[in-house]
Amino acid sequence: MTKRFAVVLAAGKGTRMKSQLYKVLHPVCGKPMVQHILDELNVCRIDQTVTIVGHGAEKVKELLGDKVAYALQKEQLGTGHAVMQAEETIGDEQGTTIVVCGDTPLLTAETMEALFTHHEEQGAKATILTALAEDPTGYGRVIRDGTQAVKKIVEHKDASSEEKQVKEINTGTYCFDNKALFKALKRVGNDNSQGEYYLPDVIEILQKDNEKVSAYQTNNFYETMGVNDRVALSEAEKWMKKRINEKWMREGVTLIDPEQTYISADAVIGQDTIISPGTIISGTTTIGDNCELGPHSEIKDSRIGHGTVVKQSVVHNSDVGSHVSIGPFSHLRPQTELADKVRVGNFVELKKMSMGEGSKASHLSYLGDAKIGEGVNVGCGAITVNYDGENKFLTTVEDGAFIGCNSNLIAPVTVGKGAYIAAGSTITDDVPQKSLAIARERQTTKEGYINK
């Protein structure tokens, strides 16, 4: 079986992005562009991938880790020069190499696999991935002869008026016979206005050597789009969002208004879940079956169990069980853990805490750095006072306890199993099991005071 290699071009700074963030690290639906490409390549049968880095090399390496090899392009001298940097790693290998740009996040494994297959079946030395563009302005045209063989690639600025009518464009993705690629790259010159070494020149060199050059046309032009500025970034985001949303609808998820629903590339959603407009599901979030999310909820890097409802609320880095009710207007901050059948209601904020099965905090509470058992009722306005200005302390509320309205639990403190806290109390000492703690001023009434 022919060995396969990949060269990912990720060295450009992307000056048109006008950003401190290097171009290929800009996210599309929550995932950096170059990560999209690597994830799709991983689906293909690739023996080794070489990522060409330059600007922001350390950041790119930090993102991709040790799953790929790297080659440094110290000077940005064109795409041909960039690919040449991979010679030390794979130049002597026998096989097929795909060259793909790190700023084409919409390119799918299916399209790349089809390109590989076409190239190998044709026995070509080079195969160009092409597409039909309604408006091909600015793109290099693929000119074919009478037998539909590739005659040449001509850049838009160099095309004749007749050639400019051609709508088949060069997408910038190629497959090459690996040894033929690096042999031809040594003959690429830089006698052009930019003084750069262009990868498409390899096509012309191979044709002059009477080597076979083929082309594979994808049906999806939008897949091949490169991102060079913020306008193109927004277009890529739009297409990726559409692709992701359609995927989940076909998997049995109901999106009331797909245009107003954002789902990250790494999210996973169960069947019969209903997502209302304005909902954002980002990061590596996992949603169970039969959930109801939104409208206008934000869930990030969290796990949501089956049958849970999240209305107009924010859930970040949290673990939520099944048949939980959250919101409206709740805020689950990182390291919140809710067991099954928990109720968290209006204007409740939770942080670095856990609640056992069946417990509830229905409204207007702050519970941070706390461990709350099963079947606990937390009344309106209750607060765990966890911070003394320097350190955070733990509040423990055991199973079946009842926390009255407007109670302050001054940590560190423990409320025992089945204990009651009277409304309006400020608790500074541990409360034993099945006790009633009252910590408030007795009421004083002065009759006739107003008349005086």
Side-chain angles (χ1 to χ4, degrees):
M1 187 176 288
T2 304
K3 293 181 74 174
R4 289 179 175 180
F5 309 96
V7 176
V8 179
L9 305 182
K13 184 177 181 180
T15 54
R16 280 183 281 174
M17 298 295 288
K18 292 182 168 54
S19 174
Q20 297 300 311
L21 184 65
Y22 299 105
K23 181 170 71 167
V24 298
L25 298 181
H26 278 267
V28 173
C29 287
K31 183 189 292 186
M33 290 192 284
V34 69
Q35 186 68 65
H36 278 287
I37 288 295
L38 266 296
D39 288 349
E40 294 299 311
L41 282 170
N42 286 338
V43 178
C44 301
R45 182 182 57 79
I46 304 294
D47 293 282
Q48 186 165 19
T49 298
V50 182
T51 301
I52 311 301
V53 294
H55 290 290
E58 293 307 314
K59 292 290 185 182
V60 175
K61 290 179 180 180
E62 183 181 331
L63 171 70
L64 302 180
D66 58 3
K67 296 179 181 179
V68 300
Y70 299 95
L72 179 64
Q73 187 186 23
K74 293 180 180 179
E75 295 182 85
Q76 310 302 293
L77 299 177
T79 52
H81 179 261
V83 175
M84 196 64 190
Q85 308 313 303
E87 182 181 27
E88 185 176 338
T89 306
I90 60 172
D92 293 331
E93 295 281 358
Q94 190 79 37
T96 302
T97 295
I98 188 172
V99 179
V100 59
C101 296
D103 62 359
T104 54
L106 297 167
L107 202 57
T108 64
E110 290 79 9
T111 296
M112 289 188 281
E113 185 64 40
L115 177 63
F116 268 120
T117 300
H118 178 89
H119 174 82
E120 290 163 355
E121 288 179 349
Q122 290 291 315
K125 294 297 183 182
T127 302
I128 309 155
L129 179 65
T130 72
L132 292 179
E134 284 299 317
D135 179 9
T137 303
Y139 287 96
R141 306 303 202 279
V142 176
I143 308 301
R144 297 177 184 259
D145 61 20
T147 66
Q148 291 302 298
V150 175
K151 184 178 179 181
K152 63 178 179 177
I153 299 174
V154 59
E155 295 303 316
H156 178 84
K157 63 180 182 299
D158 300 322
S160 66
S161 57
E162 183 180 352
E163 289 169 337
K164 286 179 180 178
Q165 301 304 310
V166 173
K167 292 189 174 183
E168 186 177 17
I169 56 100
N170 174 22
T171 67
T173 297
Y174 309 86
C175 269
F176 294 99
D177 174 275
N178 190 64
K179 286 197 171 182
L181 167 63
F182 288 101
K183 183 179 178 181
L185 279 171
K186 291 181 172 65
R187 296 161 59 189
V188 173
N190 66 341
D191 185 17
N192 52 63
S193 60
Q194 300 296 320
E196 294 183 349
Y197 301 86
Y198 296 133
L199 183 60
D201 289 354
V202 169
I203 302 298
E204 184 178 351
I205 290 169
L206 292 173
Q207 287 176 321
K208 286 181 178 178
D209 290 345
N210 294 317
E211 300 286 7
K212 185 173 183 178
V213 173
S214 184
Y216 173 77
Q217 186 182 109
T218 176
N219 294 325
N220 297 316
F221 167 73
Y222 78 88
E223 259 195 49
T224 68
M225 67 177 291
V227 175
N228 292 312
D229 57 25
R230 306 291 181 128
V231 175
L233 184 66
S234 70
E235 281 292 305
E237 185 87 14
K238 180 184 74 173
W239 283 107
M240 185 67 76
K241 180 169 77 98
K242 185 175 186 293
R243 178 191 294 174
I244 293 170
N245 288 357
E246 287 183 356
K247 168 193 170 182
W248 289 116
M249 287 188 285
R250 296 185 194 283
E251 290 291 328
V253 177
T254 296
L255 305 186
I256 302 299
D257 185 353
E259 293 295 318
Q260 299 297 321
T261 303
Y262 176 100
I263 302 170
S264 76
D266 291 323
V268 177
I269 307 172
Q271 290 183 349
D272 293 316
T273 285
I274 300 172
I275 304 177
S276 294
T279 298
I280 299 172
I281 300 172
S282 59
T284 54
T285 292
T286 300
I287 309 290
D289 299 336
N290 296 292
C291 293
E292 295 180 31
L293 309 178
H296 304 291
S297 291
E298 180 184 335
I299 304 171
K300 180 180 181 181
D301 292 323
S302 297
R303 185 193 74 83
I304 307 293
H306 303 303
T308 288
V309 176
V310 181
K311 290 185 177 181
Q312 290 114 336
S313 295
V314 175
V315 180
H316 282 185
N317 299 91
S318 296
D319 195 323
V320 178
S322 296
H323 306 290
V324 173
S325 177
I326 298 172
F329 312 116
S330 299
H331 186 184
L332 275 62
R333 291 166 57 191
Q335 299 183 55
T336 294
E337 297 180 11
L338 304 183
D340 297 345
K341 301 177 183 177
V342 165
R343 160 72 174 148
V344 178
N346 306 49
F347 304 104
V348 174
E349 181 178 359
L350 309 178
K351 188 271 295 184
K352 198 178 181 181
M353 59 83 65
S354 63
M355 291 184 77
E357 184 172 341
S359 290
K360 56 185 178 180
S362 295
H363 30 235
L364 296 164
S365 293
Y366 168 72
L367 306 173
D369 296 279
K371 184 177 180 180
I372 296 176
E374 297 181 0
V376 172
N377 183 86
V378 179
C380 176
I383 295 172
T384 58
V385 185
N386 56 335
Y387 184 48
D388 68 358
E390 292 185 3
N391 299 297
K392 301 288 181 69
F393 297 95
L394 179 68
T395 297
T396 301
V397 180
E398 296 180 351
D399 296 350
F402 184 96
I403 310 300
C405 294
N406 289 324
S407 295
N408 299 310
L409 307 180
I410 312 296
V413 70
T414 297
V415 178
K417 187 174 182 179
Y420 272 59
I421 305 299
S425 294
T426 296
I427 302 300
T428 58
D429 299 321
D430 291 349
V431 180
Q433 294 184 15
K434 298 185 178 180
S435 300
L436 169 63
I438 305 172
R440 64 191 183 203
E441 280 290 324
R442 287 189 174 274
Q443 179 174 328
T444 300
T445 303
K446 296 186 177 182
E447 295 187 12
Y449 178 81
I450 300 303
N451 293 332
K452 294 179 182 179

